[in-house]
Amino acid sequence: CHMLYNVTMMATTWNTVATRDTRLLRMQLDIMNNLPKEYTFLNYLRCHDDIGWGLDFQTLAGWGMQEVPHKRYLNDFFTGKIAESVSRGELYNEDPITGDARFCATTASMCGIESAGFEQNEEKKKRAVRFDLMLHAYMMVQSGIPMLYSGDEIGQVNDYTYKDDPEKAADSRYLHRGNFDWKLAENRHDPATVQGKLFPALDKLEHIRTSHSVFNSNVPFHTIDTWDNSILAFVRENDEEKFIGIYNFSENDKVAWINEEDGMYTDLISGRELEAKGVQIPAFGCYWLCRSKK
């Protein structure tokens, strides 16, 4: 089997969300780029299972993050126990002695769409949707096959009704395995709703991805310095195009201090023309910068 389930990248991505620190993610992306190209990765933000924190703790220790307290921090962050967290979810297989545990939630709930809806806070909801789209835009330009877990395309949040089913109540993974909400899906035609913001935007990203050869799995990529640990940037380049993806994992507006000297780029998402130099990027925002080489 030449298809690899990219579980390490999933865990490292959510670690980046919680820490606003892209260093480990950048390292993993560069490692992935150097692997044999005959293998194809299946890339995703969420899947049917829990998130186990299978991170490179040896590297993290060198940056002052020890395994046990860091795992505790991640679980506290994504269950919303930390003040600045907007995530909502539940633990799975918690060890009562060590406190070690895995985590369960939908992508939308981890990005803050659930908590913003509960608070009826439109500004928080707008930012959560932008965060959700940024993460999908990052996932879609990794080499391999992008996968959307059912419900993510309409921002479906955690389904707590599993607790009412005796056959499911003991397994918190059913939190993100709720039935697809076809009634909610109808909102994808209404741009004023979460669904109407997410679904068309994801559809657009998919169509952009299939119309540019630079996204092919055999195209090499590498990360580049942004001089800000909360901003990830990497380059994909073939004989036809050069692509630079820029992603702000911070809740603050930032500047990606890249300095590409090869002319103007087009942001494939917005259509905006700009240089790949000192790029101002909003909180949880992203750019898909592309330049034709012909």
Side-chain angles (χ1 to χ4, degrees), residues 149-160:
Y149 188 60
S150 179
D152 278 3
E153 69 273 41
I154 58 170
Q156 202 159 306
V157 299
N158 294 334
D159 182 0
Y160 299 93

Side-chain angles (χ1 to χ4, degrees), residues 135-147:
L135 290 175
H136 278 99
Y138 141 78
M139 182 270 291
M140 284 187 185
V141 298
Q142 294 176 32
S143 289
I145 302 171
M147 182 186 79

Side-chain angles (χ1 to χ4, degrees), residues 80-94:
K81 294 177 182 177
I82 294 176
E84 68 268 22
S85 172
V86 297
S87 174
R88 299 294 181 268
E90 296 180 346
L91 300 183
Y92 173 72
N93 265 7
E94 184 175 9

Side-chain angles (χ1 to χ4, degrees), residues 9-22:
M9 194 61 68
M10 176 190 69
T12 306
T13 297
W14 291 111
N15 173 75
T16 306
V17 169
T19 61
R20 284 82 157 173
D21 186 338
T22 66

